[in-house]
Amino acid sequence: MISPRHYHPERHFTGGDVVRDIVLGMSDGLTVPFALAAGLTGAIEQTGLIVVAGLAEVAAGAIAMGLGGYLAAKSAAEHYASERARERREVHETPAAEEAEVLDVLQTYGVKADEAAPVLRALRRHPEAWVDFMMRFELGLERPEPRRALWSAVTIAASYVAGGIIPLVSYMIFPSVRLALAVSVAVTALALVGFGYVKGRFTGAPPVRSALQTTLIGGLAAAVAFAIARAIS
Amino acid sequence: MISPRHYHPERHFTGGDVVRDIVLGMSDGLTVPFALAAGLTGAIEQTGLIVVAGLAEVAAGAIAMGLGGYLAAKSAAEHYASERARERREVHETPAAEEAEVLDVLQTYGVKADEAAPVLRALRRHPEAWVDFMMRFELGLERPEPRRALWSAVTIAASYVAGGIIPLVSYMIFPSVRLALAVSVAVTALALVGFGYVKGRFTGAPPVRSALQTTLIGGLAAAVAFAIARAIS
C-alpha cells in the first residue's frame, strides 16, 4: 500500500480553479471530437453522419468528464473527512504516537527532537491545528472544497462541449466531406494554437511550446484516427 | 492570481501509481467509446461504421489522454524544477524573508515565533532541506517523478484502449445493430460494475456505491448520446 502522500498532482496552475477547469475540458474537447470527425472522413462520405458521431462523442465525453469529475471530487471530500476524523481521534487518544510522527516529519528536514519540542508544545495547545498539521504535513492532503465540485464539473463539461463544437461546425455547413475536413482542420488548428498559447501562460509553460504541443496532440490524434478508419473501412 | 498551493487533487489513491493510471484510463475508456457506439446505433444501421467510429475514438482518446498526460507531467516537472531553483535562490540571497515565511507557515498552526526559532536554526544548518521544506510547506508542491511520466502515459493509454475495445467487440461479431447493441450494453454494464467495484476498493470509496456510480456515468452517457444521435439523424 502506498500512502496518499505519494499522490503527485500532474498540473500546477497559477490561474485559479476556473481556468484550470476550462483548460481541462477544452484540452480534450478540442482534440477528441476533432480527431474522430477527421478520422471518419477517411471512411464516410456523408457529413451528416460525421456530425451525428461528433455530437454523440461530445455529449458522452462531457458527461464522462463532468459527472465523473464531480463524483470523484465528492469521494475525495469524503475521503478527506474520514481521514481527518481518524487523525483527530489519534491526536486525542494516542497523542504520544502523534508527537513521534511530528518529530519524524520535522526530522526529514534536519530538525532535531529537542528543536522540535517547542512546536510540539504549541500543537498540544491547539488540537484542531494539530490535526490540520498532520493532514497537510504527514498525509500531504489538501482540504478539498466540496461546494466547488458541482460548479467545477459544469465548467469542465461546458468547456468540453465548447471545444468539441468547433471542429464540427464545418461539417454542419459544407456538404462535401473533403471541404468540411479541410475547413475543420484549419479552424481547429488555429483554435489549438491559440488555446495552447493561452494555456501555457496560465500553466507557466513557455506559451509557444505549449501551443506547439497542443497542436501536435490534436494533429497526431486526428492522423491516427484517420489512418485507422481508412484501414478498416 | 491564486498560488499553486490552492491546487487540490481530485483523487486520492491508496493502490499506487500504476493502479491510479489504470483507473484513469479505463474509467473513460469504458464510458466514452461505449456511449458513442450505443449512440450511433440510434442513427446508423451498419455495425461496420460503428466499429470504425468506435476505434477512431479509442485511438484519439488514448492519444489525448496518454500524450496529453505525458506532456503535462513533463511541464509539471519543469515547473517544480524552476520553482525549486527560485526557492533556493531566495534561501541563499534573502534568508531573512524566507525565515519570515517559515514563521508564517508555522503560525497558521498556532506555533509562536519564539517556539519556531529552533526550527529556523535547524533549517539554516541545512539549506537544501530548507528549500525542500519551502517547496512542500509553503508552496504545497510535491516532487514529481519525471521518469515515471512515460510509463504512466503508456499505462493510461493502454487502459483506455483495453476499456474501449470491450463495448466494440459485439459490433465486430454481430451484423445486426440491435443485437450488437444489446450484447454491448450487457457486456459493458458488467465491466462497469466490476471495474467500479474494484476501483472503489482502491480509492477508499464504498465498492458497491463506486460500482453504481461508474455504471450510472456510462449508462447516462450512452443514453444521452443515443438521444442526440436519434434526434438529429
Side-chain angles (χ1 to χ4, degrees):
Chain A
M1 298 278 275
I2 294 182
S3 88
R5 88 174 66 178
H6 290 91
Y7 177 91
H8 53 100
E10 292 188 333
R11 295 177 170 88
H12 301 286
F13 279 74
T14 53
D17 290 336
V18 175
V19 171
R20 184 189 69 116
D21 291 339
I22 293 173
V23 165
L24 273 177
M26 200 162 274
S27 289
D28 282 11
L30 273 173
T31 303
V32 183
F34 164 61
L36 174 65
L40 286 178
T41 58
I44 298 180
E45 291 293 318
Q46 300 137 275
T47 52
L49 273 185
I50 293 174
V51 172
V52 169
L55 291 179
E57 208 287 337
V58 168
I63 289 171
M65 283 196 93
L67 186 55
Y70 174 71
L71 294 174
K74 292 254 291 181
S75 295
E78 282 168 27
H79 177 67
Y80 184 92
S82 80
E83 289 285 317
R84 196 174 189 288
R86 200 182 60 160
E87 215 46 72
R88 174 189 272 141
R89 259 198 322 276
E90 289 174 0
V91 160
H92 285 95
E93 292 170 12
T94 53
E98 289 302 292
E99 288 181 8
E101 287 178 8
V102 174
L103 293 183
D104 279 352
V105 168
L106 291 174
Q107 204 168 28
T108 324
Y109 300 94
V111 181
K112 289 182 203 141
D114 62 304
E115 292 166 324
V119 173
L120 281 184
R121 270 201 304 280
L123 293 178
R124 272 198 297 265
R125 279 200 313 271
H126 307 98
E128 283 306 299
W130 190 358
V131 176
D132 286 333
F133 184 93
M134 301 311 284
M135 291 305 289
R136 175 101 190 241
F137 297 161
E138 190 209 358
L139 299 178
L141 292 180
E142 305 264 339
R143 186 186 293 277
E145 302 168 57
R147 279 177 219 163
R148 267 207 82 254
L150 182 61
W151 179 234
S152 169
V154 170
T155 309
I156 292 173
S159 306
Y160 190 89
V161 172
I165 295 292
I166 291 171
L168 300 180
V169 170
S170 73
Y171 294 92
M172 298 173 187
I173 298 174
F174 304 110
S176 147
V177 260
R178 288 190 171 206
L179 180 58
L181 173 64
V183 174
S184 177
V185 167
V187 169
T188 310
L190 268 177
L192 283 165
V193 168
F195 168 74
Y197 190 90
V198 173
K199 176 182 158 184
R201 295 200 50 169
F202 280 111
T203 56
V208 171
R209 199 182 61 184
S210 173
L212 287 175
Q213 287 184 345
T214 313
T215 314
L216 168 76
I217 297 172
L220 187 66
V224 172
F226 187 91
I228 288 181
R230 173 139 296 181
I232 63 173
S233 67
Chain B
M1 296 280 274
I2 295 181
S3 85
R5 88 174 65 176
H6 289 92
Y7 177 91
H8 53 102
E10 290 188 335
R11 294 177 170 89
H12 301 287
F13 280 74
T14 54
D17 290 334
V18 175
V19 172
R20 185 189 69 115
D21 291 339
I22 292 173
V23 165
L24 272 177
M26 201 162 273
S27 289
D28 283 10
L30 273 173
T31 302
V32 184
F34 164 60
L36 174 65
L40 287 178
T41 59
I44 299 180
E45 292 292 320
Q46 301 136 275
T47 52
L49 273 185
I50 294 174
V51 172
V52 169
L55 291 180
E57 208 286 339
V58 167
I63 289 171
M65 284 196 92
L67 186 54
Y70 174 70
L71 295 173
K74 291 253 293 180
S75 295
E78 281 168 26
H79 177 67
Y80 184 92
S82 80
E83 289 287 314
R84 198 176 187 288
R86 200 182 60 159
E87 221 34 82
R88 174 189 272 141
R89 256 197 324 277
E90 289 174 1
V91 160
H92 285 96
E93 292 170 11
T94 53
E98 290 301 294
E99 287 180 9
E101 288 178 7
V102 173
L103 292 183
D104 279 351
V105 169
L106 291 175
Q107 205 168 25
T108 324
Y109 299 94
V111 182
K112 290 182 203 141
D114 62 306
E115 292 167 322
V119 172
L120 281 183
R121 270 204 303 280
L123 292 177
R124 272 198 297 265
R125 280 200 315 270
H126 307 98
E128 283 304 302
W130 190 358
V131 175
D132 287 332
F133 184 93
M134 301 311 281
M135 291 304 289
R136 174 99 189 242
F137 296 162
E138 190 209 359
L139 300 179
L141 292 179
E142 304 263 340
R143 186 186 293 277
E145 303 167 56
R147 279 176 217 162
R148 266 208 83 252
L150 181 61
W151 179 233
S152 169
V154 170
T155 309
I156 291 173
S159 306
Y160 190 89
V161 172
I165 294 293
I166 291 172
L168 299 181
V169 170
S170 74
Y171 295 92
M172 299 174 188
I173 298 174
F174 304 109
S176 148
V177 259
R178 290 192 169 204
L179 180 58
L181 173 64
V183 174
S184 177
V185 167
V187 169
T188 311
L190 268 177
L192 283 165
V193 168
F195 168 73
Y197 190 90
V198 173
K199 175 181 158 185
R201 296 199 49 167
F202 280 112
T203 56
V208 170
R209 198 182 62 185
S210 173
L212 287 175
Q213 287 184 343
T214 313
T215 314
L216 168 76
I217 296 171
L220 187 67
V224 173
F226 188 91
I228 287 181
R230 175 140 292 183
I232 62 173
S233 66

